[in-house]
Amino acid sequence: MRTVTRLAGFAVGLAAVFGATYGVGRVVDRTPVVEGRHDAAAIPAADERGGTADRLPGGLLVSERGYSLERVDAPAGEFAFRIAGPDGRPVTRYEVAHDKRMHLIVARRDLSGFRHVHPELAPDGTWRVDTPLTGPGQWRAFADFTPTGGEPLTLGVDVTVPGELTEQPLPAPATSTTVDGYTVTLTGAPQPGRTSSLTLTVSRNGRPVTDLEPYLGAYGHLVALRRGDLAYLHVHPDGTPGDGRTRPGPAVTFLAEVPSAGSYRLYLDFQHGGRVHTAEFTVVAGAAPTATAPTPSGPAPTGGADHGTPGHGHN
Ligand SMILES: [Cu+2]
């Protein structure tokens, strides 16, 4: 599997589209500008498409490489959108990636409320799904897709759901969490600018779970969102069901690369007992590795991906 596929969330950016970042606030009404959005401009100029040294994280832009995410008015209880292509018309042909032609991920700006759903495509190019926005707040919606004939792409848009919002503090970093009666343990720590191995281990009632079920073509599906700007990283397991070496648990290993130091929220979707469960973790990239995190290559020389000048003085 090509690296670019495995790290599908790392949209290979074009410097020319950075300016579009500043347009996001205008596209969506009533959404205050979030300071962290400026982070995109701090990322060093990316290579041409296909470059590997510098990557713009996915999901920061509402429009990229000629494709734009456009919300469509929908009845209450439904979320609808289109992808406009380089010719301005709705895209109707998509490649299947990880079992689906469209992955829609939503989270609030405070990283709460994560949902990962799969809309249905109408012939006119409109994607519709029962709304995954579960309550009031400032949400970010990510469309993760591959247009036929194009490269994988993740576009993001802000969505406001009116109502009283109680902002949730980001949970403290932890290496273990529970969800639906499962205990999930994380080993490994992301290191900015290089690929790190993250292993999630699932148990229930103190026993390792060794019969995880394939979900979206894998034994686990991991999304990472960066605190502050919700840069989107979609990482996939190191191995797929049926490849002769990947076991159905208890451990699922991912290869992930985060673009900068900072706090990230990890969301692991896994299927067991016919149901999908989501385990969440806060991790801090760039912190000292934990004892369980192997760092075979020793201290990393600083890579090109984290040379960005932090901010640019709007305070
Ligand atoms: Cu999906």
Side-chain angles (χ1 to χ4, degrees):
M1 188 182 288
R2 294 183 307 150
T3 302
V4 69
T5 303
R6 196 164 54 210
L7 305 177
F10 290 106
V12 179
L14 299 175
V17 298
F18 282 5
T21 304
Y22 297 96
V24 172
R26 290 197 299 274
V27 170
V28 179
D29 300 342
R30 305 181 307 275
T31 302
V33 170
V34 176
E35 278 185 28
R37 191 166 295 141
H38 286 192
D39 286 5
I43 294 169
D47 283 354
E48 294 296 315
R49 182 185 310 182
T52 54
D54 299 308
R55 302 183 184 97
L56 181 66
L60 294 172
L61 305 178
V62 73
S63 183
E64 186 174 0
R65 282 188 250 140
Y67 294 90
S68 297
L69 170 53
E70 299 176 347
R71 289 185 60 210
V72 172
D73 284 339
E78 187 178 280
F79 187 87
F81 62 98
R82 284 190 292 256
I83 304 297
D87 61 1
R89 291 205 290 255
V91 176
T92 57
R93 294 169 63 230
Y94 296 83
E95 299 300 316
V96 171
H98 312 295
D99 278 0
K100 300 288 180 182
R101 290 182 294 170
M102 178 63 71
H103 304 264
L104 181 73
I105 280 86
V106 301
R108 285 194 189 86
R109 282 272 171 201
D110 64 5
L111 298 172
S112 69
F114 175 90
R115 291 281 311 280
H116 175 171
V117 296
H118 300 107
E120 295 286 332
L121 179 62
D124 71 352
T126 303
W127 292 96
R128 298 178 189 282
V129 65
D130 286 348
T131 185
L133 307 175
T134 51
Q138 301 291 341
W139 293 83
R140 188 78 173 161
F142 303 94
D144 182 341
F145 62 95
T146 304
T148 294
E151 296 287 317
L153 189 57
T154 302
L155 301 177
V157 67
D158 284 344
V159 185
T160 301
V161 177
E164 194 169 328
L165 170 68
T166 306
E167 187 156 327
Q168 303 294 314
L170 186 66
T175 55
S176 184
T177 190
T178 58
V179 57
D180 304 333
Y182 297 86
T183 298
V184 182
T185 303
L186 169 68
T187 54
Q191 299 298 317
R194 63 191 178 108
T195 301
S196 308
S197 175
L198 302 177
T199 297
L200 293 125
T201 305
V202 183
S203 66
R204 187 163 67 163
N205 301 325
R207 289 201 201 96
V209 173
T210 57
D211 57 348
L212 290 174
E213 296 153 4
Y215 172 62
L216 303 175
Y219 289 124
H221 209 73
L222 185 68
V223 168
L225 297 177
R226 179 167 61 185
R227 182 187 206 180
D229 66 357
L230 277 69
Y232 171 91
L233 315 174
H234 200 166
V235 291
H236 287 279
D238 180 18
T240 54
D243 66 3
R245 67 180 181 92
T246 303
R247 304 182 64 80
V252 186
T253 296
F254 296 86
L255 299 175
E257 184 177 334
V258 297
S260 69
S263 294
Y264 293 78
R265 190 72 167 159
L266 306 183
Y267 307 87
L268 172 70
D269 288 334
F270 64 97
Q271 184 173 314
H272 190 249
R275 286 191 54 213
V276 177
H277 312 279
T278 304
E280 301 188 14
F281 294 86
T282 298
V283 296
V284 179
T290 64
T292 49
T295 52
S297 55
T302 304
D306 52 359
H307 275 177
T309 47
H312 49 129
H314 279 293
N315 291 338

